[in-house]
Amino acid sequence: MVRKPGENSARRQFLRQAALGSALLCTWNMATAARLRALRVGRYQQNVRLVFDLDRHLTAAPVIRSVGEVLHIELPGIEHGLSRPVVPALGPLQGGAEMNESAAGLVLRLPLRESVRWRSFSLGPGGGASHRLVLDLMPLATTAVESPRLQPVAGAGRPIVVCLDPGHGGHDPGAIGAKGTREKDVVLDVGLSLAQLIHRTPGMRLVMSRNTDRYVPLMDRMHLGLEQRADLFVSIHADAFPERTVCGSTVWALSETGASNAAARWLAKTQNAADPLLGDVQSGIHDPMLNEVLINMTQTAAMNSAAAAADVMIRGLAGVEDLHNAAVQHANFVVLRAPDVPSVLVETAFISNPEEEQRLRDPDFRQVLARTMHDAVVAHFVKAPPADSAWSATRHVLSKGENLAGVAHRYGLSVEALRLANNLPRGEGQPGEHLRVPIMGV
């Protein structure tokens, strides 16, 4: 990825700030902290509700994110007033919890059985209750009834839309390796190979920002995902760095700063138009605050979904390539800013590294990258198929004598996609093990 003059120093500053981020948390004054009195967990309608009982009102919004199969809940300014919290196995919750205090407040980690979206709000004292923080967890998709021998049936919903964005193109070559390898050519080839695999996947529809050597402005790439209502936007790049020994893959998702700015611009542009996101709001009074809340909820859901997809992607790439960063990274890339489109940017390798440039010049390695990214895309939608799509998911119980290859073939995915969707280590599964598998629409 080629950056404008000055962007490299800005990027270095950003990385330095990220490295020092944990130190900034120490500025919180714990003397003003609220105390957690109780944590209650139960059903609310079709969701699971967590209620945090506090002795005073919250002074900062909670920070909630999904990291792999764990939901992280950070409560700034909250002190631990409980013994070990009791969290039952309920809905998407696997059961159990880990609670720790940090310099900023309280951190709660909840293991999940499936991907979720969430909403949170605060309540003041009333009806004999104290101050409360309420967190509702909502499954991203409905899971079919578990069955060890469920025959997949094509769904009647819409296809899952995947938007691929090979970076650069036309007059913009992107990064250039020592042997003259151009980023725009490498990522287009990977993108076209990945496109063929997605095109052959039942129940998926492909959109591409470019399929030839042409330049597409960054905002046009972002708007393509919006216009096509993509369920996942994947931007493909091959990074460069002045230090030639730097190597490995990196997966990026949007930073919260970028999300906030993009949401505000999007709201300003669409507030007077008939928008599908806001079309279900029936009100005779224009309420900008209500619109902002709805967009923030949608942005949060998109960022959560993007983080989940990025996590699967980086776990897949770890099997075929060294990782420059083993965790998902966050930054304010323009192409990731679409408010309601889960978007990730994949830096496949460092074209500035001589060994990685040589691999990127190899068509077989580019095919491996495409297959790996396809496995990750499939696994992501096995874990969390869009509720209105032709895909759904069920549980397959591994019987004695079955192997993963047979199960994967039966449900139309690769063994690696099956592993990624179920966080399976190498080797065969155990009889009686429950595997999440797709029911792919046509």
Side-chain angles (χ1 to χ4, degrees):
M1 176 185 294
V2 169
R3 298 177 174 83
K4 296 178 182 179
E7 285 192 348
N8 283 335
S9 61
R11 180 171 179 266
R12 286 193 294 270
Q13 179 66 21
F14 167 77
L15 293 175
R16 283 195 295 268
Q17 291 173 348
L20 293 172
S22 59
L24 297 178
L25 295 176
C26 297
T27 60
W28 184 265
N29 182 359
M30 295 302 294
T32 63
R35 181 173 291 273
L36 178 63
R37 289 177 169 175
L39 171 60
R40 295 176 281 137
V41 183
R43 285 282 187 186
Y44 177 74
Q45 297 179 352
Q46 301 299 314
N47 308 321
V48 171
R49 171 164 287 184
L50 290 84
V51 180
F52 299 82
D53 292 310
L54 308 168
D55 67 353
R56 66 182 70 179
H57 69 278
L58 284 171
T59 57
V63 179
I64 307 168
R65 66 186 190 278
S66 178
V67 181
E69 300 296 314
V70 178
L71 186 68
H72 288 240
I73 305 169
E74 300 177 13
L75 304 175
I78 304 297
E79 288 183 335
H80 197 336
L82 294 177
S83 58
R84 184 175 180 179
V86 178
V87 177
L90 184 64
L93 295 176
Q94 185 174 308
E98 177 186 341
M99 184 177 287
N100 303 106
E101 286 187 342
S102 70
L106 199 61
V107 179
L108 178 67
R109 297 177 179 85
L110 302 174
L112 299 174
R113 291 192 286 210
E114 58 183 301
S115 298
V116 296
R117 57 190 179 94
W118 54 82
R119 61 170 174 254
S120 64
F121 54 93
S122 298
L123 294 174
S130 62
H131 292 276
R132 286 150 292 166
L133 168 67
V134 181
L135 174 63
D136 287 334
L137 303 181
M138 299 156 280
L140 286 177
T142 302
T143 301
V145 177
E146 293 187 8
S147 169
R149 290 294 177 186
L150 182 65
Q151 184 64 33
V153 179
R158 63 169 180 82
I160 291 173
V161 180
V162 179
C163 184
L164 299 183
D165 173 42
H168 307 282
H171 67 267
D172 176 12
I176 301 176
K179 293 185 176 181
T181 311
R182 299 182 300 185
E183 179 182 3
K184 69 170 185 175
D185 300 327
V186 168
V187 299
L188 178 60
D189 186 71
V190 172
L192 291 173
S193 297
L194 177 55
Q196 292 179 357
L197 295 171
I198 291 174
H199 184 72
R200 294 199 295 263
T201 304
M204 282 192 180
R205 182 168 73 86
L206 172 70
V207 178
M208 292 192 76
S209 63
R210 69 179 185 100
N211 56 13
T212 60
D213 183 17
R214 68 186 185 93
Y215 176 76
V216 180
L218 293 179
M219 292 299 290
D220 289 356
R221 297 170 189 259
M222 185 197 76
H223 284 299
L224 178 65
L226 277 170
E227 293 165 0
Q228 297 295 324
R229 300 188 187 180
D231 296 291
L232 183 63
F233 179 98
V234 182
S235 191
I236 308 169
H237 291 261
D239 208 351
F241 197 73
E243 177 54 60
R244 298 176 68 189
T245 59
V246 174
C247 63
S249 300
T250 307
V251 182
W252 295 84
L254 185 66
S255 70
E256 292 192 10
T257 300
S260 175
N261 292 339
R265 286 192 295 271
W266 191 55
L267 176 61
K269 182 178 179 180
T270 62
Q271 62 184 353
N272 295 321
D275 191 284
L277 178 64
L278 305 179
D280 293 334
V281 179
Q282 302 298 322
S283 174
I285 301 175
H286 176 64
D287 188 344
M289 183 172 292
L290 175 60
N291 285 358
E292 183 177 354
V293 169
L294 289 171
I295 288 177
N296 285 340
M297 288 175 62
T298 305
Q299 176 76 78
T300 299
M303 290 178 69
N304 294 340
S305 182
D311 178 73
V312 177
M313 184 70 72
I314 205 162
R315 287 194 289 114
L317 289 169
V320 299
E321 171 73 325
D322 293 335
L323 297 180
H324 180 61
N325 288 290
V328 176
Q329 302 298 296
H330 297 268
N332 186 6
F333 290 113
V334 171
V335 293
L336 303 182
R337 294 181 191 172
D340 62 341
V341 178
S343 305
V344 300
L345 186 147
V346 181
E347 296 280 12
T348 55
F350 278 83
I351 203 168
S352 53
N353 179 286
E355 293 181 2
E356 292 202 338
E357 180 188 8
Q358 187 60 40
R359 284 201 292 273
L360 288 170
R361 293 169 66 92
D362 182 357
D364 291 339
F365 179 69
R366 297 196 297 268
Q367 284 287 338
V368 168
L369 288 174
R371 285 196 301 270
T372 300
M373 295 172 69
H374 178 256
D375 288 339
V377 169
V378 169
H380 169 64
F381 288 116
V382 173
K383 293 165 73 73
D388 60 341
S389 73
W391 275 42
S392 59
T394 187
R395 299 282 178 177
H396 179 96
V397 180
L398 198 62
S399 62
K400 188 175 181 179
E402 271 192 316
N403 58 32
L404 296 181
V407 175
H409 177 75
R410 174 179 174 180
Y411 291 96
L413 71 168
S414 70
V415 173
E416 187 58 30
L418 183 64
R419 290 188 191 279
L420 289 172
N422 291 276
N423 297 324
L424 296 176
R426 296 293 168 182
E428 293 295 335
Q430 300 298 317
E433 187 169 3
H434 288 229
L435 302 175
R436 190 172 178 88
V437 292
I439 300 175
M440 299 180 181
V442 176

